[in-house]
Amino acid sequence: MSTPARDTNQASVTLKALAGPAGGALSLLARTRTVVAQRFRQMLAPAPTPAREFSAGHTTAGSWVGRALLFSFIAMVMAPTLTASLYYGFLASNEYVSETRLTVRAASEDKQSGPDSLAVFSKLGLGGNKATVQDSYLVLNYLKSRSVVEDIGGDEYMEQKFSHSGIDWFSRLPRGRPIEEVWKYWTYHVSPVIDALSGIVTVKVYAFSPEDAQEIAIKILDLSERLVNRVSERSRAAAVKEAEAEVERAEHELVATRSDLQSFRNQSLTIDPVAKAASIGEMMGKLLVQRSEIENQILTFSGALSANSPTVRNQKNQLDAVDRQIAELKKQLTSTGENDRPVATELSTFEQLKLKEQFSEKKYTTAELSLDRAKLDLEKTKLFISLVVEPGLPQYPLFPERGIDILLVFAVGFVSWGILSLISASVLDHLI
Amino acid sequence: MSFIEQSSQPTARILQAMKAQGRIVGALMLRDMRTRFGRSQLSFLLALFWPLSHMLSLFLPFVWFSKYVPLGGSPSVYIATGIAPYILCMYPARMVSMAITVNHPLLMFPIVKTTDLILARIAVEILGALVVISIFVFLLVAFEVDILPPDPAIAVSAIFMSIVLGVALGVLNVVVVSIFKFWQFIFMAVMIVMWVTAGSTTVQFNYSEQTKYLLSFNPLLHLVTWMRSAYYGDYSAIPLSKAYVMGVSFGSLFLGFAGDRLLRGRVLLQ
């Protein structure tokens, strides 16, 4: 009994001699080992409590503590471990894992730029290829949600895959359960995990046959694809709708300005006041030339002929007529009379209307162009699922991990038994 | 001892032992509460004030200087849910680990065992931690922080497990400290590392797989994640493993009690 203790003591002495500067710590270690060894022997031996010293007469005192320990050990450690071994050894159904990895990508690489691009794009954030990690989260959340269970076929499909009699009773999905419970079962058998850096979603499907695992994984891929299509379709529809509304607005505006212009023309009885003004100007120019010619002649003849000669009189009459015509034309251009519609006023109104028309024409063509582009670009920015790892057909059942699971049951049992019995032992220390 | 009548029936004797244990632990608890700081009736209030002020002194600056909200709508909630598990874990761990060091003169009474000292400390620390978290929550509610979680059961279980982890680490520490005295300081360093990597005031989503794997060994990070899952639904910096936290807790509780049984305070008294 004392030999090992002496050995350890000797060991500690040797260590101290050998270790030099680190000797302090080492000797502490060695001493600790000695004490631990002694304590361990004392613990294994019946505890030397005062109770035992007092009740030395009771031969049963030690034995019922031992028996209680043994029974509780059997009940809390051995029985669960044995049950677990039996279950994992003979009953538990094999689980096959099919893994697939996917990520969500947008096709478009080009950026929206140029003067014609609509504000709609920047609002919806559709240009470019940026939101893919977020879109992967979309898939992740969908795969964890209740609606994926409903989409895959609900109770019926799940029972077909997880409720048949080939699966052991504990792992089986009970029949006729509400969707919430089926969903919970789903979360135990389908585990999607995302890598936030790359946006790659890894989906593992645990099923009870290799074919089922692969089939469910493929279905999951299909459903994710449909989800992503649904989402991008919806944003696509929204963008095109916005562009179409823009075109309609521009069209209305153009029609309105055109009809304004038309009614103006009808009122002013001119097709184009600009042309009218030009023709008046031209006429005036001609008249002015004529006038200066007449004045020249009058000046030329004034030395030779008397002022009352018929030629001069005739020329003066002509000059008067030309002056009257010029005055008349001037009046037409700029008169401010009440009933008159001078060409200058008409011109400014007309030019405003014309400008408006030009603007709305430009707007309309831009809107039309943008609509075309929206349709085209959205075709390009369509989201799609790209497969990193295809769902494979598992060959070997990875689960249940029988050895580890049995060990785990043993560890849980042993630790809880240990804690309980150690606390009970502390109570029994106070045995009188 | 002789004035108590001995019974030969095992059940009666166990009952007696349990009563004795209860009285001893009760008495030790009362003594523990009164002797935390000096010999005042109010010393336990001081002992509560300590973790509470620690909590607030971490909480207020982080809330004050937080420029953005990492998750959810309120930085206060995010930071409070990160700090609470740390404080609720660290103080019991530290206090329980000193259970024997501080009270070893009491072992002069033959009826007082080291386990009694530890059990009394555990009881006092659990009560203390519950009072501290209640006051903290009360303060936050009083200052109109929306701290009451949508899923109270998860938050309460996270609080409970934080205390259990603290107590369990404390019990293990009692044993280790009685062998290596400087372990107290190493443990402080370990606790600081746990605190820094627990993401109490930061976001930890953009780490690589390997970093996340290493981080997932930090039980405090699991507790913070557990706590926040009560507020943020699908929050997960790492895949939350409640089993891991429980494993660490009950594993070290078992190792601690076993070590205590093995040593029975002898090394310390040498």
Side-chain angles (χ1 to χ4, degrees):
Chain A
M1 173 115 184
S2 58
T3 345
R6 209 181 299 138
D7 283 351
T8 28
N9 278 330
Q10 276 169 357
S12 89
V13 171
T14 350
L15 275 173
K16 205 182 242 172
L18 284 172
L26 279 173
S27 81
L28 181 68
L29 252 170
R31 205 173 65 204
T32 311
R33 249 184 27 230
T34 318
V35 172
V36 169
Q38 281 171 359
R39 286 294 113 199
F40 198 65
R41 274 197 298 281
Q42 282 176 12
M43 195 172 117
L44 291 182
T49 53
R52 285 194 56 74
E53 284 153 26
F54 272 84
S55 59
H58 299 271
T59 41
T60 49
S63 60
W64 64 255
V65 173
R67 243 182 298 146
L69 274 178
L70 184 67
F71 282 136
S72 60
F73 186 79
I74 289 173
M76 289 181 71
V77 186
M78 304 260 283
T81 312
L82 197 69
T83 317
S85 308
L86 287 176
Y87 170 70
Y88 284 115
F90 298 108
L91 283 173
S93 311
N94 286 336
E95 277 186 71
Y96 295 84
V97 185
S98 180
E99 189 188 291
T100 175
R101 289 171 190 241
L102 55 94
T103 184
V104 181
R105 303 187 69 84
S108 165
E109 296 288 334
D110 60 353
K111 295 272 178 288
Q112 278 298 315
S113 58
D116 282 345
S117 69
L118 267 185
V120 182
F121 286 103
S122 51
K123 268 183 208 153
L124 292 176
L126 283 168
N129 185 13
K130 50 186 177 184
T132 49
V133 172
Q134 195 199 337
D135 295 327
S136 296
Y137 270 103
L138 209 85
V139 171
L140 180 82
N141 272 300
Y142 173 66
L143 292 182
K144 284 181 177 174
S145 76
R146 218 181 83 169
S147 64
V148 70
V149 184
E150 277 159 4
D151 291 348
I152 206 169
D155 275 12
E156 205 180 316
Y157 184 82
M158 290 293 284
E159 278 177 13
Q160 182 197 329
K161 294 291 172 208
F162 292 105
S163 298
H164 59 83
S165 55
I167 302 167
D168 78 86
W169 192 80
F170 293 100
S171 321
R172 203 184 297 165
L173 170 70
R175 283 182 188 276
R177 288 306 166 113
I179 190 77
E180 282 81 4
E181 266 180 54
V182 179
W183 172 37
K184 199 167 186 184
Y185 189 86
W186 168 271
T187 59
Y188 290 137
H189 288 263
V190 175
S191 83
V193 181
I194 194 167
D195 175 16
L197 276 184
S198 59
I200 293 178
V201 182
T202 307
V203 189
K204 283 183 181 168
V205 179
Y206 304 80
F208 296 99
S209 81
E211 291 80 17
D212 280 357
Q214 195 187 24
E215 190 196 309
I216 294 170
I218 290 172
K219 277 217 164 203
I220 281 174
L221 270 182
D222 186 42
L223 287 173
S224 313
E225 191 126 46
R226 264 192 247 169
L227 169 87
V228 165
N229 285 348
R230 215 155 54 216
V231 169
S232 64
E233 207 106 300
R234 206 167 295 161
S235 67
R236 207 154 73 171
V240 170
K241 207 172 146 194
E242 191 79 4
E244 274 169 358
E246 193 71 36
V247 169
E248 207 174 319
R249 264 200 301 280
E251 203 180 310
H252 278 307
E253 218 173 290
L254 186 60
V255 168
T257 45
R258 285 252 163 94
S259 76
D260 278 355
L261 201 64
Q262 193 55 46
S263 57
F264 166 81
R265 276 176 180 148
N266 288 342
Q267 268 177 13
S268 63
L269 300 171
T270 46
I271 290 175
D272 189 346
V274 179
K276 189 180 172 188
S279 74
I280 291 173
E282 202 181 332
M283 271 163 73
M284 249 166 87
K286 276 182 187 161
L287 285 172
L288 283 173
V289 170
Q290 212 180 334
R291 188 177 183 272
S292 69
E293 272 174 10
I294 295 166
E295 272 185 337
N296 268 348
Q297 280 175 5
I298 290 173
L299 280 176
T300 320
F301 289 127
S302 60
L305 298 171
S306 79
N308 286 329
S309 75
T311 318
V312 173
R313 262 211 319 267
N314 186 27
Q315 276 171 340
K316 275 190 175 164
N317 283 345
Q318 266 184 26
L319 191 68
D320 282 351
V322 169
D323 275 347
R324 263 203 315 281
Q325 274 176 356
I326 287 175
E328 183 64 31
L329 285 176
K330 264 189 184 162
K331 202 173 146 198
Q332 265 192 39
L333 273 178
T334 56
S335 156
T336 49
E338 287 208 352
N339 294 321
D340 296 320
R341 297 178 58 83
V343 176
T345 330
E346 262 177 17
L347 208 63
S348 76
T349 318
F350 176 77
E351 241 151 30
Q352 270 176 20
L353 284 171
K354 196 78 186 163
L355 209 64
K356 243 185 181 170
E357 194 207 10
Q358 275 172 5
F359 271 141
S360 22
E361 235 168 36
K362 186 89 181 154
K363 216 169 167 179
Y364 178 71
T365 35
T366 311
E368 282 248 281
L369 214 74
S370 303
L371 178 61
D372 286 349
R373 189 175 250 189
K375 281 176 179 167
L376 207 78
D377 279 342
L378 282 167
E379 207 58 52
K380 277 198 240 158
T381 52
K382 195 178 164 185
L383 293 174
F384 64 91
I385 295 236
S386 66
L387 257 182
V388 184
V389 177
E390 288 214 32
L393 186 69
Q395 291 186 335
Y396 180 79
L398 289 176
F399 291 91
E401 296 171 303
R402 295 186 163 78
I404 292 177
D405 287 342
I406 294 170
L407 211 68
L408 218 62
V409 170
F410 172 77
V412 168
F414 186 73
V415 165
S416 15
W417 172 79
I419 292 175
L420 281 181
S421 56
L422 283 165
I423 289 178
S424 318
S426 144
V427 173
L428 291 182
D429 276 350
H430 303 294
L431 213 59
I432 298 158
Chain B
M1 279 177 221
S2 54
F3 58 86
I4 300 173
E5 198 182 324
Q6 281 185 27
S7 168
S8 55
Q9 290 293 313
T11 43
R13 292 179 66 194
I14 290 173
L15 216 66
Q16 267 184 349
M18 282 168 80
K19 276 182 189 164
Q21 172 92 61
R23 280 198 304 274
I24 291 164
V25 169
L28 288 175
M29 280 173 71
L30 285 178
R31 184 185 178 279
D32 201 10
M33 285 164 81
R34 288 188 188 183
T35 53
R36 273 296 162 86
F37 289 96
R39 285 171 178 238
S40 158
Q41 303 273 356
L42 297 174
S43 81
F44 190 61
L45 283 183
L46 262 171
L48 291 180
F49 181 73
W50 197 355
L52 197 64
S53 55
H54 187 175
M55 216 164 177
L56 290 175
S57 67
L58 284 174
F59 175 72
L60 292 176
F62 274 119
V63 170
W64 191 266
F65 291 113
S66 70
K67 295 208 170 57
Y68 62 98
V69 189
L71 209 63
S74 153
S76 310
V77 171
Y78 188 80
I79 288 166
T81 51
I83 289 174
Y86 168 62
I87 298 290
L88 292 179
C89 177
M90 190 191 73
Y91 276 85
R94 194 198 279 171
M95 290 300 155
V96 172
S97 69
M98 294 196 287
I100 298 178
T101 329
V102 176
N103 290 322
H104 73 88
L106 291 173
L107 293 173
M108 299 298 232
F109 299 102
I111 200 169
V112 177
K113 309 288 178 209
T114 51
T115 320
D116 300 331
L117 295 179
I118 296 172
L119 287 176
R121 255 289 152 95
I122 289 175
V124 171
E125 283 310 315
I126 290 176
L127 288 176
L130 290 178
V131 173
V132 165
I133 189 66
S134 309
I135 294 175
F136 186 63
V137 169
F138 176 79
L139 283 178
L140 288 182
V141 170
F143 283 96
E144 294 186 346
V145 175
D146 192 13
I147 194 71
L148 298 176
D151 201 335
I154 296 177
V156 168
S157 61
I159 288 173
F160 177 74
M161 263 328 284
S162 305
I163 301 174
V164 169
L165 178 68
V167 163
L169 291 177
V171 173
L172 185 59
N173 282 349
V174 168
V175 176
V176 183
V177 163
S178 59
I179 299 171
F180 311 108
K181 300 242 167 16
F182 51 87
W183 173 255
Q184 195 76 286
F185 302 102
I186 298 178
F187 180 71
M188 290 294 287
V190 169
M191 205 67 213
I192 288 169
V193 171
M194 274 162 71
W195 152 253
V196 169
T197 56
S200 297
T201 54
T202 51
V203 199
Q204 291 183 318
F205 293 113
N206 293 332
Y207 287 170
S208 68
E209 284 301 311
Q210 204 182 355
T211 319
K212 278 186 180 174
Y213 175 71
L214 288 176
L215 284 177
S216 71
F217 283 99
N218 180 358
L220 193 60
L221 174 53
H222 283 278
L223 280 172
V224 169
T225 311
W226 188 340
M227 181 70 120
R228 282 183 183 154
S229 68
Y231 291 85
Y232 302 114
D234 215 6
Y235 167 87
S236 58
I238 49 157
L240 167 62
S241 168
K242 296 181 179 177
Y244 176 71
V245 182
M246 290 183 194
V248 170
S249 301
F250 292 110
S252 45
L253 203 61
F254 167 67
L255 287 178
F257 276 128
D260 174 57
R261 189 92 195 140
L262 229 64
L263 296 172
R264 292 195 180 130
R266 290 298 165 87
V267 175
L268 184 84
L269 300 181
Q270 275 174 3

